[in-house]
Amino acid sequence: MDNQSKTSEGIRVAIRMRPLNEREVNSGYTKSFRCQTQYNAVTQIKDGQAVDGGTSYFDKVFDESARNTDVYDYVCKEIVQGVMGGINGTVFA
């Protein structure tokens, strides 16, 4: 879904995957999920392989390389502008 196809009402769910932090890397943790941004999906992985039934779809998926401004522009900008114009809006993070 792109910005053009977003509706002005309703609930949208966006996921932003964070990279492993230094402590996790040093402890030998590996990623448990793989972003499939082209499908707006997140797939659970084990030993590098997709887990059966472990894929979830969302309105938008941001991978580890997404910038704060990318997320804000897609998820929050229109809502904040609407609130400033007197329309109710909520962003949960």
Side-chain angles (χ1 to χ4, degrees):
M1 174 175 9
D2 61 0
N3 281 340
Q4 304 290 323
S5 59
K6 292 192 300 184
T7 61
S8 62
E9 295 183 38
I11 296 173
R12 293 186 305 256
V13 178
I15 300 294
R16 181 183 188 186
M17 194 66 60
R18 69 166 177 82
L20 295 175
N21 63 37
E22 186 177 339
R23 180 186 51 82
E24 293 165 334
V25 171
N26 291 338
S27 296
Y29 293 148
T30 58
K31 291 175 23 173
S32 299
F33 293 90
R34 178 183 305 134
C35 289
Q36 297 177 297
T37 55
Q38 69 274 29
Y39 303 113
N40 286 317
V42 175
T43 299
Q44 185 178 5
I45 55 174
K46 184 175 182 177
D47 300 323
Q49 299 297 315
V51 173
D52 248 0
T55 300
S56 298
Y57 296 88
F58 302 93
D59 295 309
K60 182 69 173 173
V61 170
F62 295 93
D63 65 15
E64 295 91 342
S65 67
R67 301 172 303 153
N68 288 342
T69 55
D70 298 331
V71 177
Y72 175 82
D73 287 345
Y74 186 88
V75 177
C76 304
K77 189 174 185 176
E78 288 180 18
I79 296 170
V80 170
Q81 289 172 341
V83 168
M84 297 304 289
I87 299 170
N88 291 334
T90 303
V91 176
F92 287 105

